[in-house]
């Protein structure tokens, strides 16, 4: 007798015999088979419905997934207090990525001049979260509350906008790093695309709508050879997924500006460095290795040409960010309608004087009083570009942006700061590895 499985799924049509003796049997089997089939289908449908319902409830409770560390009266009070404006004509700013390198500096600068600041950060582990927690402690000591949450958590964002009528959003939360995109591409889509859309949705629905200033990147110039890079240059040849997500961000923000009248300013940062910086960046990881007597890899371009970057000091970037917030203009949506065009701007924030990577290493050697163990290797095909160089005339005329710190001075400040806080942070970073 064929098994039920064989009856239901005969391997060949020839397996069915047409003799009468088996015909009743077969009818029974058919009937049983069809009942079984129905039963199996019913089971399948029940399972499908159950999975759909549980998926729906997962989606609905999407924010519950993130809720562990937000909500409650005490939390709301901290948000309110932190957002209070203490100067006339001041602004109330939601800073995403506040425990990040640029986010920390911008938050401090805003608070210092009397603006209200609420930070938001998901404290992910792209690099040692203890560095982010140390930055949060610094912000906390200046009266800045940092909400622990993800920009993809739309309920949390909605709640924040319910509590505070933010005038501005400084959006710095992102998955940074050019080369890491080959290791973890989805993290770029999660933060730089999905997270950006989630944030813009919250901004567009907020009443009043805030003005948005956000971090794009010099990497959008990709493989361009014309220097210096100007905002009007083509940006359709990204060399990394990181760059592609930042470029996508520029297009996405444009649609929110066009449809909903959100005031948008995108800032193309050029290799920002300085105290409290990111340990994954070359100047920081080189410093760590030099101090530990470990070799450093210095990438070289085609024909052994040195790579060069328009390294930009953090204090200059902060001035550019504040200048952008101050000049951002208003969003125009009210009463369910866009009331006229809102500003849509893009600026380069660079230093206008590229320096080669070997020169960066020489400067570090001088300040660290230690020779680096240089290991020159060909640039791996991992998304890097050979050089960057910003034309900043637009930012100069529109924002009053005028970088004043050259790489020598900036690295001196970075190294000096090491003796205070970063040495400790480097140790923490090493311990976590
Ligand atoms: O402007 C940006 O939009 C980006 O700036 C930054 O990217 P990059 O300019 O690539 O900075 P960074 O990693 O410090 O490498 C500097 C140089 O050292 C070379 N480099 C790097 C590592 C190494 O081991 N060896 C080496 O030679 C390397 O080839 C490069 O030539 C931000 O990280 C990024 O998030 C984004 O904001």
């Amino acid at each position: 007798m064929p098994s039920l499985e064989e009856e239901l799924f005969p391997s060949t049509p020839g397996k069915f015999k047409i003799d009468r003796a088996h015909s009743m049997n077969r009818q029974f089997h058919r009937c049983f088979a069809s009942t079984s089939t129905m039963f199996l289908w019913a089971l399948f449908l029940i399972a499908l419905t159950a999975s759909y319902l549980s998926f729906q409830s997962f989606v609905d409770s999407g924010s519950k997934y993130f809720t562990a560390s937000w909500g409650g009266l005490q939390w709301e009070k901290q948000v309110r207090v932190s957002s209070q404006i203490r100067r006339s004509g001041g602004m109330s700013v939601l800073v995403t990525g506040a425990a990040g390198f640029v986010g920390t500096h911008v938050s401090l600068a805003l608070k210092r001049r009397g603006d209200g600041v609420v930070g938001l950060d998901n404290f992910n582990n792209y690099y040692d979260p203890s560095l982010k927690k140390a930055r949060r402690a610094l912000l906390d000591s200046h009266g800045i509350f940092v909400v622990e949450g993800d920009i993809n958590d739309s309920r949390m964002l909605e709640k924040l906008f319910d509590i505070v009528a933010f005038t501005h959003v400084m959006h710095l939360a992102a998955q940074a790093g050019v080369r890491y995109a080959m290791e973890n591409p989805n993290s770029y889509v999660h933060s730089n695309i999905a997270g950006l859309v989630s944030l813009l949705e919250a901004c567009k629905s907020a009443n009043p709508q805030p003005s948005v200033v956000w971090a794009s990147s010099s990497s959008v110039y990709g493989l361009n050879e014309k220097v210096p890079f100007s905002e009007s240059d083509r940006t359709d040849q990204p060399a990394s997924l990181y760059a592609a997500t930042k470029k996508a961000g520029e297009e996405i923000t444009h649609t929110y500006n066009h449809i909903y009248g959100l005031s948008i300013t995108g800032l193309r940062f050029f290799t920002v460095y300085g105290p409290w910086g990111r340990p994954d960046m070359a100047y920081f990881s080189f410093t760590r290795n030099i101090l530990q007597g470990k070799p450093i890899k210095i990438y070289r371009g085609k024909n052994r040409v040195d790579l060069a970057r328009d390294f930009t000091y953090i204090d200059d970037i902060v001035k550019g960010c504040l200048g952008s917030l101050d000049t951002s203009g208003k969003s125009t949506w009210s009463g369910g309608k866009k009331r006229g065009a809102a500003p849509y701007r893009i600026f380069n924030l660079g230093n206008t004087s590229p320096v080669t990577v070997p020169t960066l290493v020489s400067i570090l050697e001088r300040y660290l009083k230690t020779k680096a163990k240089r290991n020159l290797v060909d640039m791996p095909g991992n998304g890097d570009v050979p050089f960057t160089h910003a034309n900043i005339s637009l930012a100069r005329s529109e924002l009053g942006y005028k970088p004043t710190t050259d790489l020598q001075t900036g690295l001196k400040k970075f190294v000096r700061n090491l003796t205070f806080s970063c040495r400790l942070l480097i140790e923490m970073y090493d311990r976590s590895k």
Side-chain angles (χ1 to χ4, degrees):
M1 189 191 294
S3 69
L4 177 63
E5 198 182 347
E6 282 172 321
E7 205 50 87
L8 290 172
F9 306 107
S11 58
T12 62
K15 276 205 167 178
F16 288 101
K17 291 196 182 116
I18 320 175
D19 62 306
R20 281 180 73 101
H22 287 107
S23 115
M24 289 288 289
N25 209 358
R26 215 172 60 207
Q27 294 230 340
F28 166 78
H29 269 291
R30 267 212 190 125
C31 176
F32 182 70
S34 71
T35 313
S36 305
T37 310
M38 277 173 64
F39 178 65
L40 283 176
W41 271 110
L43 267 184
F44 175 67
L45 283 174
I46 289 167
L48 198 68
T49 314
S51 343
Y52 174 73
L53 288 176
S54 64
F55 174 69
Q56 272 300 98
S57 87
F58 172 75
V59 170
D60 288 347
S61 66
S63 47
K64 270 193 222 145
Y65 191 62
F66 304 107
T67 49
S69 44
W70 66 268
L73 287 177
Q74 177 59 17
W75 179 85
E76 288 186 20
K77 190 177 165 202
Q78 286 172 299
V79 170
R80 251 185 226 107
V81 170
S82 192
S83 71
Q84 270 163 20
I85 301 170
R86 295 177 199 281
R87 70 177 174 106
S88 78
M91 46 182 74
S92 169
V93 190
L94 173 65
V95 180
T96 72
F101 170 36
V102 180
T104 296
H105 286 275
V106 170
S107 299
L108 287 172
L110 288 168
K111 195 73 179 180
R112 258 186 230 121
R113 68 179 202 179
D115 292 321
V117 182
V118 175
L120 171 63
D121 205 291
N122 70 0
F123 294 90
N124 69 23
N125 61 1
Y126 167 58
Y127 59 81
D128 186 3
S130 54
L131 172 53
K132 301 176 186 186
K133 285 176 187 154
R135 295 191 193 118
R136 173 169 65 184
L138 178 69
L139 294 174
D140 191 53
S141 71
H142 287 77
I144 301 166
F145 180 56
V146 181
V147 172
E148 189 164 349
D150 194 293
I151 47 172
N152 284 281
D153 185 349
S154 41
R155 279 203 199 162
M156 182 267 303
L157 290 176
E158 200 185 316
K159 183 78 191 163
L160 283 174
F161 280 101
D162 274 354
I163 302 171
V164 180
F166 290 108
T167 55
H168 294 77
V169 171
M170 181 80 226
H171 176 47
L172 298 166
Q175 177 58 60
V178 173
R179 292 164 290 279
Y180 180 65
M182 292 191 58
E183 264 176 66
N184 189 357
N186 287 333
S187 64
Y188 290 80
V189 177
H190 176 81
S191 296
N192 304 357
I193 308 273
L196 175 66
V197 171
S198 158
L199 180 83
L200 292 170
E201 280 291 316
C203 292
K204 129 232 155 184
S205 308
N207 185 13
Q209 278 185 334
S211 302
V212 180
V213 177
W214 74 286
S216 181
S217 159
S218 71
S219 63
V220 299
Y221 293 110
L223 303 173
N224 289 9
E225 291 188 349
K226 171 189 161 285
V227 281
F229 300 154
S230 298
E231 289 85 348
S232 54
D233 292 348
R234 66 187 291 190
T235 52
D236 57 353
Q237 334 180 65
S240 65
L241 183 69
Y242 169 71
T245 60
K246 286 296 181 179
K247 166 70 176 167
E250 294 189 354
E251 313 296 354
I252 289 166
T253 50
H254 186 269
T255 60
Y256 277 81
N257 167 266
H258 172 68
I259 300 174
Y260 301 109
L262 266 183
S263 160
I264 300 281
T265 306
L267 302 175
R268 293 176 179 165
F269 293 160
F270 282 70
T271 316
V272 190
Y273 71 99
W276 294 93
R278 276 174 32 211
D280 61 311
M281 288 183 69
Y283 74 96
F284 201 126
S285 65
F286 287 171
T287 300
R288 193 181 59 234
N289 283 16
I290 293 171
L291 287 174
Q292 294 177 338
K294 291 183 183 166
I296 57 172
K297 269 188 198 161
I298 300 177
Y299 301 142
R300 281 184 313 196
K302 264 190 210 149
N303 306 320
R304 307 191 157 185
V305 170
D306 290 334
L307 304 185
R309 288 290 178 274
D310 198 359
F311 296 101
T312 309
Y313 190 63
I314 183 66
D315 290 0
D316 291 323
I317 289 290
V318 169
K319 283 183 205 146
C321 291
L322 267 55
S324 302
L325 289 165
D326 291 341
T327 56
S328 60
K330 290 210 180 311
S331 294
T332 58
W333 186 272
S334 83
K337 236 181 161 183
K338 179 175 142 188
R339 316 261 165 193
Y344 180 82
R345 312 180 299 168
I346 289 190
F347 296 110
N348 285 342
L349 292 187
N351 194 50
T352 64
S353 46
V355 176
T356 66
V357 177
T359 306
L360 163 90
V361 175
S362 302
I363 301 171
L364 284 175
E365 286 177 324
R366 181 146 30 95
Y367 293 135
L368 296 169
K369 299 189 177 68
T370 313
K371 272 258 160 262
K373 292 182 180 152
R374 296 178 187 227
N375 184 7
L376 298 175
V377 296
D378 287 339
M379 183 171 83
N382 56 8
D384 258 333
V385 292
F387 54 84
T388 63
H389 183 182
N391 176 342
I392 55 161
S393 29
L394 193 61
R396 193 184 288 130
S397 64
E398 301 281 317
L399 311 176
Y401 174 71
K402 197 168 167 283
T404 55
T405 312
D406 62 19
L407 188 61
Q408 304 237 9
T409 315
L411 284 180
K412 193 173 186 177
K413 290 184 180 180
F414 167 69
V415 169
R416 199 181 285 156
N417 186 270
L418 276 177
T419 39
F420 301 110
S421 54
C422 289
R423 218 175 260 277
L424 175 76
L425 297 170
I426 286 170
E427 280 164 22
M428 289 197 298
Y429 181 65
D430 283 341
R431 270 205 305 277
S432 73
K433 291 207 121 184

